[in-house]
Amino acid sequence: MTGKPTYQRPMLVRHQAGLMNKLSRVAGMRPLTEIDGVPVAALVERFGSPLFVFSERSIVSRHRELRDALSVRLPKARLAWSYKTNYLDAVCKVMHREGSLAEVVSEMELDKALRQVAGTEIIFNGPYKPEGALEKAFRAGARVHLDHFDELARAEAVARRLGLAPKVALRINMSLPGITPWSRFGFNLESGQALDAVRRLRAGGVLQLAGLHAHVGTFVQDVDAYRQEARKLSELANLLAREHGVMVEWIDLGGGFASNNTLHAQYLPGEQVTPSFAQYAEAIAEGLAALALPPGREPTIFLETGRALVDEAGSLVTTVHATKRLTDGRRALILDAGVNSLFTAFWYRHDVVPAQPFAGTPEPTILYGPLCMAIDVVRDQLLFPPLSPGDRIVVRNVGAYNVTQWMQFITDRPAVVLVSRTGEAALMRRRESVETLLAQEEVPAWLA
Amino acid sequence: MSLPRPSLTIAVTGLNATDNPAPGVGVIRSLRAEPSFGGRVVGLAYDALDSGLYSREIGLDAGFLIPYPSQGVEALRERLRAVHARTPLDVIIPTLDSELPAFIALEPELRSWGVHMFLPTRDQLELRSKARLGELGERAGLEVPAQRVLSDAGDVYRLGAELPYPLVVKGVFYGAAVVHGPDEAAAAFHATVARWGLPVIAQRFHAGEEYDVVAVGDGRGGMAGAVPMKKLLLSDKGKGWAGVAVKDPHLLEAARRFFTATSWRGPCELEILKTGEGRYLLIEVNPRFPAWCFLAAGAGQNLPWAVTRLALGEQPAPLTDFKAGTLFVRISLDQIASIEDLQSLATAGELLRAREGP
Amino acid sequence: MDTLQRLKDLAVSESGFVFDPHSGQTFSLNETGRAILEALKRGETVEQIVTDLRQGFEVEPGADLGRDVHEFLLLAREQGWPVPQVEAP
Ligand SMILES: Cc1ncc(COP(=O)(O)O)c(C=O)c1O
């Protein structure tokens, strides 16, 4: 029986004006010991560290939240899963099971999607669609969204050769206040290029213009951009009906909703700034109110929401490999996962929490990855409780773009698991090894 | 009818009264000047050295540190819960732009604890955001300067003819710099992003006289009170160091139109420029009290007290009169404090003062 | 000035708040940090300090107290405290 206090590493903090607030996120920080009921420790024991863990429950509930927010305002709205955000087969399966189409931007993504859904359930975007890819898409009945005049001509040639008259859409770019225009994709609205493309397409007599598409950007926190985008595309659709005899069947508003992450160049945390799905949907519905097509001819509205659907579902579990004291007094942790796995560390101040109960006074801490490169910083400067080697940390909201943009650089990529709604965990992608690397390599005969 | 509320406890944020002062001290002095208020005032501060915590004059009954807005809603909720447990609060008056989203998010929950605020809604806050000044001007029927939102530094090289130099480069929350060319604008863009993040606004610069109006909207489109002021003296940071209450009906009309258009709920500060040709341009709306709001109380309109009553669900009669020519002249003075106060704030995050006398 | 005297001048409160009357700086210590400062004021060596900590606190197996104390003393020196030079453990 002892009444002794528990030992903690001794700490000494000098007070500095402007930094004298011991209340930090740590005050409200709770360890994340389980993911959907499965202990983090058990996951690591079974699948190793570092480890990406996805919550099926979260994917499904975000998907339904967005679908519901849309359907109460826009009965003909549908989602198309943006493959580039996360194209693991299992993740795509969940999205398709929930009713999403597939939105792809390369032949590789197209091939991947064709294994999962009918061609008619695929939207094919992007500036690079070689002939072979166009042929495959047209044969399968996919909706091809044309990006530039050369592509228009190429698509006509392919369709003519196949003896098909496919329905296609035009990608439109436009200037919106406060948004850096993505003018490199599609046909510009304000300059009249979009209408030129309409005339050119109709003159070709091969393709049928059936849709309009735009994508205003990514991580767009201003719902007003969507109101204006929807209004401008609606006005264009009205004009096409009025003056060109074209009745569009679909309007695709692209993706770009912000997730709950916090950009480096953002003062307030994402949770306080990011609009809700309902707010985005409301703005879109207001913009689409400008549509004036005959009754019964209302177009289907597509959204290609990517990160906002899947970011929250993904966590990266990583292990503290070592702790260090930097010369400026900050504590540094060296983790077993770095920017090679967590590409989004370049964009976000990621939310990180210990995976086990913790004690001790929080200190200014920097989180480094395992790479022997100065860029390998997982989190720059945060107040974090003192952890020891072997402790685990969960990086939250990492479900979007990491499992596609990660790099095979210096070390192999970690495994990815899915936790089911009943608390079962299973692999979605195996951890890489040196064999993965070698499987692609050849040594020229003269060196063998 | 305002009943005397001797037992009310009001918490106020923004206590850092430096040479670029936060509004908290002015708000508290206004409350203390209200004869029917004999209650307690609690300071909510962000740093153990926030100067208002050490002011004997404003007579804080307690001071507590709260987490920075960048720490998120959750951390603030937990801290306010702990503060409320130590010192039950009736009203909170937040006074800083950057903390408003979090307090707005917490308003329903705080109400369920019995803690009241009188804040704009998230939509109102959004509509008066600097990035949407043009839209606001249109809705309220007020002239505004041309402006553009910058999302990267390259944008400054693409500003069209409608935005000739000089320009004012502004951050979303705070900060404004007058620049005379694209390189200077790009530098100001980077400096602003580093401090306040995106977006950044480039606004057309107009020469003229600047006026500020402190005002309170009743949340139903009406004006609960307003006092316009002309700065007489600026600090080297460009902050008003002395000013005088003025009675220009155009300024009051601008505030009235703003309230009609937005149904604004709570305090605000309108910055209005009067050009040489006598045009009135709305430059900016700050969604909180200005630091000089004690002038309004001195001139006859105790606006922080009006906000307190509105927060409590009362409907005070609109304040319409004030004494033009009332001056404020700021002064810096060194307060004497003890290391024990600093110790208590730095280690426990709180400072409790025994009340002297009844 | 005598190092021990300078150490003794560091005013430590119950809550771990330290005021250095020589430099005017203020600091926060956690409980173990406070125990180390008190031990330094008594003129203890690193070994004695480690023993003290083992006696005064519930220590988890595997904790490297020698290293922790060493690191603390380095940090204290950087802050200008009159801490005796120590060898790495
Ligand atoms: C055409 C298109 N659609 C959808 C998306 C998905 O965007 P987000 O993940 O921001 O929703 C992107 C991403 O850049 C895109 O380029």
Side-chain angles (χ1 to χ4, degrees):
Chain A
M1 191 50 230
T2 80
K4 290 199 262 186
T6 313
Y7 174 82
Q8 290 170 3
R9 279 190 168 187
M11 261 200 39
L12 163 63
V13 180
R14 194 181 92 204
H15 297 150
Q16 282 168 285
L19 293 175
M20 258 190 264
N21 185 337
K22 55 187 237 110
L23 305 155
S24 60
R25 184 154 211 126
V26 188
M29 193 189 266
R30 284 183 203 86
L32 189 75
T33 56
E34 295 185 347
I35 295 176
D36 283 0
V38 185
V40 171
L43 287 167
V44 172
E45 184 139 323
R46 197 168 144 207
F47 300 103
S49 171
L51 182 70
F52 276 103
V53 182
F54 279 77
S55 154
E56 185 177 351
R57 180 184 299 162
S58 161
I59 303 177
V60 169
S61 77
R62 286 294 278 168
H63 199 283
R64 291 188 182 166
E65 186 189 339
L66 176 55
R67 207 183 49 195
D68 293 348
L70 290 170
S71 64
V72 295
R73 299 172 174 91
L74 305 163
K76 289 184 77 177
R78 289 200 66 188
L79 298 175
W81 175 236
S82 156
Y83 264 45
K84 67 173 108 32
T85 312
N86 186 323
Y87 44 56
L88 287 178
D89 269 354
V91 169
C92 295
K93 265 213 152 64
V94 176
M95 296 295 181
H96 296 317
R97 193 188 61 204
E98 290 298 310
S100 262
L101 284 75
E103 186 264 337
V104 302
V105 290
S106 71
E107 189 165 1
M108 181 188 85
E109 290 190 351
L110 177 64
D111 288 340
K112 226 164 179 273
L114 281 168
R115 294 159 50 251
Q116 295 230 12
V117 290
T120 51
E121 296 279 285
I122 295 174
I123 293 172
F124 190 8
N125 286 325
Y128 179 72
K129 307 185 192 83
E131 266 190 49
L134 282 172
E135 178 171 339
K136 206 180 280 174
F138 284 148
R139 280 187 192 283
R143 296 166 204 257
V144 174
H145 291 185
L146 300 173
D147 190 80
H148 43 75
F149 284 108
D150 286 345
E151 183 165 272
L152 204 169
R154 193 173 292 125
E156 280 176 346
V158 171
R160 202 175 286 122
R161 179 154 53 73
L162 298 176
L164 296 172
K167 288 182 177 171
V168 297
L170 292 177
R171 167 119 179 211
I172 309 294
N173 69 62
M174 57 186 79
S175 90
L176 297 171
I179 305 282
T180 308
W182 281 26
S183 51
R184 56 169 288 193
F185 302 113
F187 302 93
N188 183 259
L189 183 64
E190 288 82 12
S191 68
Q193 202 182 41
L195 282 180
D196 285 346
V198 171
R199 289 188 202 100
R200 167 67 190 78
L201 188 150
R202 307 249 302 144
V206 182
L207 306 173
Q208 307 182 58
L209 179 56
L212 294 174
H213 172 222
H215 170 76
V216 295
T218 190
F219 215 89
V220 177
Q221 291 168 319
D222 181 5
V223 300
D224 200 48
Y226 289 93
R227 187 179 294 116
Q228 308 216 31
E229 179 203 17
R231 188 172 49 74
K232 288 192 174 189
L233 286 186
S234 299
E235 284 163 1
L236 181 59
N238 296 344
L239 183 77
L240 293 187
R242 217 169 45 234
E243 291 179 13
H244 299 262
V246 175
M247 205 68 78
V248 297
E249 295 169 27
W250 72 87
I251 292 181
D252 181 343
L253 296 166
F257 297 171
S259 70
N260 263 349
N261 263 306
T262 307
L263 297 172
H264 284 301
Q266 192 175 317
Y267 179 71
L268 291 177
E271 58 175 34
Q272 289 181 46
V273 180
T274 300
S276 64
F277 282 155
Q279 288 171 300
Y280 283 117
E282 186 65 32
I284 288 175
E286 284 173 23
L288 288 172
L291 265 180
L293 299 187
R297 303 299 296 269
E298 292 83 8
T300 302
I301 305 301
F302 289 120
L303 279 185
E304 303 166 347
T305 309
R307 76 175 80 234
L309 284 178
V310 81
D311 227 2
E312 266 168 50
S315 303
L316 174 63
V317 180
T318 162
T319 305
V320 177
H321 175 70
T323 72
K324 246 181 162 168
R325 178 73 65 183
L326 304 182
T327 46
D328 61 7
R330 274 183 302 174
R331 178 169 287 281
L333 302 183
I334 301 173
L335 310 178
D336 64 358
V339 295
N340 54 323
S341 307
L342 197 68
F343 185 82
T344 52
F346 294 125
W347 308 336
Y348 300 137
R349 282 203 304 276
H350 273 300
D351 186 14
V352 287
V353 287
Q356 56 282 310
F358 54 86
T361 320
E363 300 184 67
T365 304
I366 179 163
L367 306 184
Y368 290 129
L371 307 182
C372 194
M373 295 285 286
I375 52 161
D376 194 17
V377 180
V378 170
R379 238 332 272 274
D380 197 357
Q381 188 77 335
L382 79 165
L383 277 177
F384 208 61
L387 297 191
S388 306
D391 284 344
R392 301 209 165 85
I393 289 176
V394 182
V395 188
R396 297 168 65 182
N397 298 333
V398 301
Y401 294 104
N402 281 307
V403 168
T404 48
Q405 292 199 52
W406 51 1
M407 296 171 267
Q408 184 277 302
F409 176 55
I410 297 189
T411 184
D412 38 41
R413 287 178 271 215
V416 188
V417 303
L418 183 69
V419 175
S420 77
R421 282 175 288 175
T422 55
E424 220 177 307
L427 270 181
M428 293 198 284
R429 193 175 194 277
R430 289 184 302 280
R431 182 186 187 118
E432 293 179 351
S433 65
V434 72
E435 281 77 34
T436 322
L437 188 62
L438 295 178
Q440 297 307 114
E441 288 194 31
E442 302 280 353
V443 176
W446 67 88
L447 293 177
Chain B
M1 243 304 289
S2 163
L3 297 176
R5 295 180 171 274
S7 59
L8 213 52
T9 301
I10 307 173
V12 179
T13 69
L15 296 180
N16 203 16
T18 58
D19 57 351
N20 176 10
V25 168
V27 169
I28 295 172
R29 293 187 71 211
S30 304
L31 295 173
R32 288 293 190 211
E34 166 57 39
S36 62
F37 172 65
R40 297 157 59 86
V41 179
V42 171
L44 302 177
Y46 289 103
D47 194 277
L49 276 177
D50 278 1
S51 52
L53 289 168
Y54 297 87
S55 161
R56 295 275 161 198
E57 180 185 349
I58 63 173
L60 286 183
D61 294 283
F64 294 93
L65 296 191
I66 57 173
Y68 286 107
S70 57
Q71 303 298 325
V73 173
E74 188 58 33
L76 181 62
R77 174 194 290 121
E78 290 312 308
R79 182 56 180 163
L80 290 177
R81 199 197 296 283
V83 169
H84 187 54
R86 300 274 284 164
T87 310
L89 307 176
D90 298 296
V91 172
I92 303 180
I93 305 182
T95 69
L96 304 176
D97 298 42
S98 56
E99 66 192 6
L100 283 179
F103 276 102
I104 290 170
L106 289 176
E107 191 169 13
E109 181 164 351
L110 290 184
R111 197 178 311 121
S112 76
W113 305 352
V115 182
H116 302 273
M117 296 189 286
F118 198 67
L119 300 177
T121 63
R122 200 176 147 144
D123 286 345
Q124 291 171 351
L125 193 65
E126 192 49 41
L127 181 62
R128 69 90 242 164
S129 81
K130 296 184 190 180
R132 291 175 67 183
L133 187 66
E135 189 184 339
L136 175 63
E138 228 167 85
R139 276 174 65 159
L142 294 169
E143 195 181 349
V144 301
Q147 68 168 34
R148 250 194 73 178
V149 177
L150 308 177
S151 39
D152 73 67
D155 287 351
V156 304
Y157 298 96
R158 294 189 285 269
L159 295 172
E162 101 261 29
L163 282 178
Y165 287 95
L167 287 174
V168 189
V169 174
K170 296 180 160 188
V172 243
F173 291 127
Y174 306 100
V178 178
V179 297
H180 299 88
D183 292 343
E184 225 182 298
F189 174 88
H190 289 301
T192 309
V193 168
R195 186 130 172 73
W196 297 112
L198 288 169
V200 174
I201 294 114
Q203 192 174 74
R204 179 158 185 180
F205 176 84
H206 288 272
E209 293 289 330
E210 192 182 318
Y211 293 85
D212 299 289
V213 186
V214 56
V216 173
D218 67 7
R220 296 184 309 273
M223 186 156 88
V227 176
M229 178 273 285
K230 170 83 189 89
K231 290 176 188 164
L232 297 178
L233 190 64
L234 297 182
S235 73
D236 51 9
K237 289 196 174 150
K239 299 288 155 186
W241 204 253
V244 59
V246 295
K247 232 173 207 160
D248 177 342
H250 291 101
L251 297 172
L252 293 171
E253 176 57 21
R256 212 168 278 120
R257 286 192 192 178
F258 169 70
F259 291 134
T260 311
T262 60
S263 295
W264 188 261
R265 192 169 176 273
C268 64
E269 177 190 27
L270 307 170
E271 295 179 14
I272 295 170
L273 192 91
K274 184 179 173 190
T275 67
E277 315 89 72
R279 285 153 65 206
Y280 289 81
L281 295 167
L282 178 66
I283 304 286
E284 190 168 316
V285 180
N286 295 311
R288 39 121 187 117
F289 280 118
W292 56 271
C293 63
F294 187 52
L295 173 69
Q301 293 196 9
N302 195 330
L303 297 176
W305 182 244
V307 163
T308 303
R309 295 186 56 198
L310 286 161
L312 291 169
E314 297 175 20
Q315 302 196 355
L319 301 166
T320 49
D321 203 20
F322 63 90
K323 193 163 173 304
T326 311
L327 289 186
F328 82 88
V329 186
R330 214 163 258 170
I331 178 170
S332 300
L333 36 91
D334 301 348
Q335 309 173 123
I336 299 304
S338 71
I339 193 95
E340 283 74 26
D341 286 357
L342 175 61
Q343 169 186 327
S344 174
L345 284 158
T347 58
E350 63 179 48
L351 182 63
L352 299 174
R353 287 219 177 86
R355 299 206 86 180
E356 294 153 16
Chain C
M1 184 184 295
D2 169 11
T3 347
L4 209 54
Q5 188 51 49
R6 267 218 57 195
L7 268 172
K8 286 185 177 156
D9 288 346
L10 289 173
V12 200
S13 76
E14 274 292 300
S15 55
F17 181 87
V18 180
F19 173 58
D20 179 349
H22 293 264
S23 68
Q25 311 265 30
T26 61
F27 307 86
S28 279
L29 296 175
N30 63 359
E31 234 180 311
T32 31
R34 195 158 62 92
I36 297 177
L37 178 56
E38 297 296 358
L40 287 170
K41 288 184 175 192
R42 294 191 296 268
E44 292 186 9
T45 62
V46 173
E47 292 71 41
Q48 285 169 314
I49 295 175
V50 170
T51 315
D52 276 7
L53 290 174
R54 285 208 182 279
Q55 274 167 8
F57 293 89
E58 195 63 50
V59 182
E60 279 194 21
D64 185 347
L65 271 55
R67 196 189 99 150
D68 289 355
V69 171
H70 179 69
E71 195 185 282
F72 181 88
L73 295 182
L74 286 179
L75 206 59
R77 278 190 79 79
E78 271 170 34
Q79 302 297 347
W81 291 17
V83 173
Q85 191 78 45
V86 285
E87 295 292 313

